[in-house]
Structures are given as C-alpha cells and as structure tokens.
Amino acid sequence: MRRALLLAAATLPWAAAAQPNGRDTLTIGITQYPSTFHPNIENMAAKSYVLGFARRPLTVYDPDWRLACMLCETLPTLGNGLAALETTPEGKPGIRVTFRLRADARWGDGTPVSAEDLRFAWEAGREAATGFGGTEFYRSAHALEVVDARTIILHLDKVTFDFASMGDFQPLPAHVERPRWQADPRGYRNRTAYDTETTNPALWSGPYRITGVQPGAGVTLERNPAWQGAAPAFRRIQVRTVENTAALEAQLLAGQIDMVAGELGLPVEQAAALERRTSWRFRVVYKPGLIYEHLDVQRDHPALADARVRQALLLSADRAQIVARLFEGRQTLATTSVNPLDPMHDASVPVVGFDPTRAAALLDAAGWTRGPDGIRRNAAGERLSLELMTTAGNRAREAVQQVLQGMWRQAGIEARIRNEPPRVFFAETLSKRRFQGLAMFAWISAPEGVPRSTLHSDEIPTEARNWSGQNYGGYRNAEMDALLEAIPTELDATKRRALWARLQAIYAEELPSLPLWFRADAHVWPRWLDGIRPTGHLNATSLWVEEWRVR
C-alpha cells in the first residue's frame, strides 16, 4: 500500500505537462539499435542515447563542456572538502572522494537510488569476470565506504586531474541485479535484467522508463511515475532504428518520425541537402564535436602490423578530397585522435596529406611489389588484400568505403568491403576482435578524455577478461602505456600538455588507428520543438530531455 501511495503521488506533476496542441508523443529516428541496455557493459552511441532518457549518471559534461553533478548533490572538490588527499595502504598518494546522492532519486518501482546501488556496481566492476568497461576506474577505486543510505566515499589509488568525473561508474539497482550477478558473475552479461526484462520499471531512474522493445527496430519510453524532477513534455517517446540513412530521411519527410538525432542520424551532406529543400519545416543544427571518425587497424593482420603499410594506407587516401566532395567540406581532417577543439590538441603535429609517391616507396620498402593485375604481393606471392568493414546502411560510410577502395587500388592495395548491422558489428565483431583488417566507426569522447581504454595494452579485449576493453586493434606500445598512466596524475595543465603532445606524436608516427576526420553532427528537429542542446561530446542530448518543449 505504501508503494502504491508513493507512485500515485508521483504522478501528479504530469498533469501540468499535457500539451495544449495535442502532441503527446515524439518519434525519433536513429541509425543504430543498442547491442545491450546494460549501462556498464559496452560503449555504444545508440545505447547512450536511449539510456539518456531513462537513467541519470552521477556526473556528466554538460552542453557547455563543464563537469557537473546529475545524480549527486554537489561535485566533489578539494576546496569544498568532498575530496581530500590521503595515502593508500601501499603508501602511495591517493584521494578520497565523497558523493551524496540526490534525495529525490528513485528507480521506476519507487525504490530510492541508494549507496547500495553504487556499492553493487563497484563490486561487480571489480570482478574481472563480469566484463564491465572502464576497468581502470575499478582498479583505481580500491575501496568504497557506505556512509549512509545516500552517501559513499570512494578511495582512489592515484590523484588525477579529473578525479570527480565518474564516467561509466553508474548505480545499478542492487535489489534487482545483485542476485543475478552473484549467481554467475561471468554469465551475468547474458542474464542481466537490462536485456532479459528491459521493461522492468526498477531498472530506470530518469524522466522516462523503457516500456517496450522491438529488437533491431525500436524502443518505446513513457514517463516514469517515480521521477521527481522537472516534468518532461511528452507522454511517450519512440526511438525508431532505421539503419539506412536514405530510408531514415524518407520516413522523416513522410511524417513517420518527427526528428533525427544528431548523434546517430543523417550525414552532414544529406542533412544540408534536406535543409535546402525543407528549411520551413525542419531546423538543422550542425555541431562540431569530439567525434573521431577513423579506421581501427587489426594489428594481428601480418601486413597491418608493419607501420610502413599503415602509413602508406593513409598517404594514398585523399581525405581532403573525400571531405570536400562527400561532406561539403564540413568535417575537420584528423591528425590523431585529439580534436583541435580539445584544449590539449597539439597543432604542431603535421597533417598527413595525399602523397601516392611516398606511399608507393613505403610499400616497396615493406616488400610489397605490384603484380600483373596491379595488386601488390609479397615475396611469398600473397596479395595485399584487406577487409574493410563498417556499419551496414550508413550511406555516408558506405560511400567513403567505395572511394577508399578505389584510391587504395590505385596504390596496389585491395580492399574487400564487408559490412554488418551495427548491433553485430559492435557487440561481436569489434568487441571480440573478429575483424580481419580495417573497421570504420567513430569514438566519441569527453573534453580532455584520456584514451586509455582504446590505446593501453591492458585494454585489449580477451576472453579471459570477458571481452572488456576497447583496444580492438590490439595496439601495444610501452611508452604509450606510460603516458596514458602519467597524464591523469599530472595536475599541472602545462606539464600535462607536454605529455599530451608526446602522445600525439607517437600516434601520428605509429598510427594505431588511421585518422579520417572529426565529425560534425547534423541535428534535425521540427520547427515546433525547442530546448534541444547539442553537446558535441559523449554525453547525449537526451540527458536533458526534460528541457525539451513544444512551441
């Protein structure tokens, strides 16, 4: 009876949110479907976007790129006493960080979000068999104290410049998930209620909760009666997956969807053409951001293990021409994974231009000479043939593939195109390192986000670690590892910038991935919708859905 009273009382704010013009449902189109709905397993933009409506993380970077509390009351700092230096049990410099949860935070079944939910997430993350992402955080957070029902103290074994940023450390409803995890930590990835009971209200703590899933096709969200914050405008949000961007545009024009999410929507050149035709109907906002389009390189491939081959691939790809012709010049060429918008970008790293002569010399030196059909072969007669993969149905990426295939053929390199649906590509092929050559996709980062998970040798996914980690290419470099460990602990920004510069120099020389460009996202929404604030980084616009309003 107590629960029923709580839920009934919580529904009262929604009465004031009814739309006078009758718009109570918003339908959003995206190009991918989440491979999992578990917040702490795998990083995928589609999942982040959907979960932005239904969950609240401890901390986020806001649309102005400032770190802020979302589920916590106050951001810990050394000045306010919620962070304090200490010595670890091993005698090393450490720091303790105190987080107090908001008093109004509730799971969808009315249960308060509590310190026990954070303790469970920490316990599960500390167990390697679970296979959570962000493993460095769980190694560093060597102890967690529960002070009271809403307060925890984390003890970290190093002092970092971003100690208050919790990233992927998010609470999990212990009353639902802990028994499943305790029964079988290694099998938990396949047993979690997030994927077996996705519509269970107890999983969701945001303004909306997931009430329906159509695997591969879409997700339905409805207002969360337990939500205590500002009332969102819409009674229901439908997120529809349309993997083909031409079909996505057709559905937008037909009124089958209301808007296209910039995080996973139309390529900029397609959006620009749409804007020219329909500016009276749709608003298009182009947001440059920390979105690194690149080609992951499978280092286990014998040819790609040679830096000369990787360099030749980049030199024989006219990226500037691709950006000009396919993207109306709206993308920024990348030299490394660090965006020019990031404060730690090193402008002295030279941009690699189109140089087929130098590419040919590198391939010759690496022992790859042209055969009678123009494709290069090594001394054993093996063809320089590489698999080139991306997300099926993404018109822009598939066009880039075709152009790269032609450019590389001119250099004597054969590219075999093989694409997969995003949920297979990310959940199986990439995460289990099954791709055989090059994989095109984007990493989305936070401001000054240290790329440990993608570059550190400890982050290479293995079966023993239940495939956690995002170093899909298998890159190993001892100096890079040392830099990735040193950068977070350097509190002086000037000294940290020097470390970042060295990281970028190594990246440009060794090419753990082939840099393409930094993407500008095209956000397309109807003229009657206001309040969306594109971020340009890893925290999706959906995290601020309660600010969206109908004109």
Side-chain angles (χ1 to χ4, degrees):
M1 186 64 179
R2 181 181 176 188
R3 175 183 171 190
L5 288 172
L6 172 65
L7 294 179
T11 63
L12 292 177
W14 306 138
Q19 295 299 331
N21 56 10
R23 297 187 192 275
D24 68 346
T25 297
L26 180 69
T27 303
I28 305 169
I30 62 174
T31 56
Q32 296 176 14
Y33 185 85
S35 59
T36 175
F37 290 95
H38 195 292
N40 305 52
I41 297 174
E42 295 176 8
N43 287 314
M44 186 178 178
K47 181 186 75 171
S48 296
Y49 187 78
V50 172
L51 265 56
F53 297 112
R55 286 184 59 87
R56 286 294 172 266
L58 268 179
T59 65
V60 296
Y61 284 92
D62 68 18
D64 297 316
W65 293 26
R66 296 173 301 203
L67 186 64
C69 263
M70 184 159 270
L71 192 60
C72 51
E73 285 187 343
T74 306
L75 198 68
T77 68
L78 293 170
N80 65 20
L82 294 178
L85 302 178
E86 64 180 11
T87 302
T88 70
E90 292 76 26
K92 300 188 301 181
I95 190 169
R96 67 176 185 269
V97 187
T98 302
F99 284 98
R100 184 162 177 80
L101 295 167
R102 293 172 57 99
D104 59 358
R106 297 284 187 276
W107 298 110
D109 63 352
T111 303
V113 179
S114 73
E116 281 301 317
D117 300 319
L118 288 167
R119 172 152 53 191
F120 164 58
W122 174 78
E123 290 172 348
R126 292 274 293 177
E127 170 56 63
T130 310
F132 278 6
T135 54
E136 171 59 16
F137 165 78
Y138 295 107
R139 283 193 290 267
S140 178
H142 62 90
L144 182 149
E145 296 178 55
V146 171
V147 177
D148 57 40
R150 291 169 44 211
T151 310
I152 65 162
I153 299 175
L154 280 171
H155 296 268
L156 307 176
D157 68 359
K158 56 176 67 73
V159 183
T160 65
F161 72 91
D162 60 349
F163 62 82
S165 175
M166 288 296 100
D168 292 329
F169 178 53
Q170 299 188 41
L172 297 171
H175 62 299
V176 175
E177 291 286 88
R178 179 176 268 138
R180 293 168 179 262
W181 176 74
Q182 289 176 329
D184 181 11
R186 178 166 290 276
Y188 172 66
R189 290 171 66 107
N190 300 317
R191 294 163 49 89
T192 170
Y194 281 100
D195 293 327
T196 61
E197 299 176 14
T198 310
T199 59
N200 185 337
L203 303 174
W204 310 116
S205 60
Y208 291 88
R209 60 185 180 91
I210 294 178
T211 58
V213 292
Q214 303 80 44
V219 178
T220 299
L221 304 105
E222 297 183 357
R223 289 175 182 150
N224 183 356
W227 172 253
Q228 301 292 304
F234 300 96
R235 179 175 62 86
R236 176 185 295 114
I237 289 179
Q238 294 178 328
V239 182
R240 185 173 297 169
T241 298
V242 185
E243 293 178 347
N244 184 287
T245 53
L248 181 64
E249 180 181 344
Q251 291 194 23
L252 179 71
L253 292 172
Q256 294 171 311
I257 59 177
D258 298 310
M259 62 174 277
V260 175
E263 291 88 344
L264 292 150
L266 301 177
V268 290
E269 82 290 351
Q270 189 176 349
L274 174 73
E275 183 181 24
R276 287 191 288 270
R277 302 193 312 271
T278 63
S279 60
W280 58 273
R281 182 177 170 190
F282 299 107
R283 183 181 178 196
V284 181
V285 174
Y286 303 93
K287 180 68 176 182
L290 306 179
I291 307 158
Y292 175 50
E293 193 79 13
H294 69 286
L295 291 159
D296 252 25
V297 176
Q298 177 56 270
R299 296 295 283 262
D300 294 343
H301 190 290
L304 293 173
D306 190 328
R308 293 170 296 187
V309 174
R310 300 194 299 274
Q311 291 163 2
L313 283 163
L314 192 61
L315 287 163
S316 56
D318 193 344
R319 297 176 297 149
Q321 183 185 89
I322 294 174
V323 167
R325 293 190 174 184
L326 296 185
F327 301 108
E328 300 191 355
R330 293 178 184 268
Q331 317 287 34
T332 301
L333 288 185
T335 54
T336 72
S337 61
V338 182
N339 194 305
L341 296 172
D342 194 288
M344 292 300 163
H345 176 259
D346 183 7
S348 70
V349 177
V351 177
V352 175
F354 179 53
D355 192 340
T357 302
R358 186 179 167 208
L362 286 168
L363 292 171
D364 287 340
W368 295 98
T369 57
R370 286 188 184 272
D373 60 353
I375 300 301
R376 292 176 179 269
R377 289 168 168 79
N378 61 13
E382 298 168 326
R383 294 163 63 86
L384 184 49
S385 181
L386 306 170
E387 186 177 78
L388 176 59
M389 299 189 69
T390 193
T391 49
N394 186 305
R395 191 169 78 177
R397 284 180 176 154
E398 290 175 342
V400 171
Q401 280 182 310
Q402 296 289 335
V403 175
L404 287 176
Q405 186 182 49
M407 290 177 172
W408 285 336
R409 186 168 187 85
Q410 292 296 314
I413 303 167
E414 179 182 59
R416 309 184 317 275
I417 294 174
R418 184 175 75 84
N419 297 334
E420 294 177 335
R423 60 189 181 280
V424 178
F425 180 66
F426 289 111
E428 294 293 329
T429 303
L430 278 180
S431 66
K432 297 182 179 178
R433 305 192 63 232
R434 290 175 177 167
F435 65 106
Q436 301 301 308
L438 303 166
M440 186 193 313
F441 63 100
W443 285 122
I444 308 174
S445 62
E448 201 176 342
V450 180
R452 178 189 171 96
S453 68
T454 60
L455 294 177
H456 199 290
S457 60
D458 284 350
E459 301 295 333
I460 299 173
T462 63
E463 186 174 6
R465 292 179 48 187
N466 210 357
W467 307 109
S468 65
Q470 297 172 312
N471 185 348
Y472 302 140
Y475 176 66
R476 296 178 183 274
N477 179 290
E479 185 182 0
M480 181 67 81
D481 286 353
L483 286 167
L484 293 166
E485 292 164 8
I487 287 173
T489 61
E490 179 52 70
L491 305 185
D492 184 284
T494 301
K495 294 178 180 177
R496 196 161 67 247
R497 185 169 287 106
L499 298 175
W500 271 106
R502 180 57 187 154
L503 180 150
Q504 291 165 77
I506 294 173
Y507 197 108
E509 178 182 351
E510 295 210 341
L511 296 177
S513 298
L514 301 186
L516 294 177
W517 40 79
F518 293 103
R519 210 172 69 204
D521 280 341
H523 297 258
V524 183
W525 60 79
R527 290 285 178 182
W528 48 259
L529 183 61
D530 276 337
I532 300 177
R533 293 192 293 160
T535 68
H537 56 66
L538 57 76
N539 292 130
T541 53
S542 51
L543 281 165
W544 293 272
V545 65
E546 61 267 41
E547 298 178 5
W548 299 6
R549 286 291 177 266
V550 175
R551 287 190 180 188

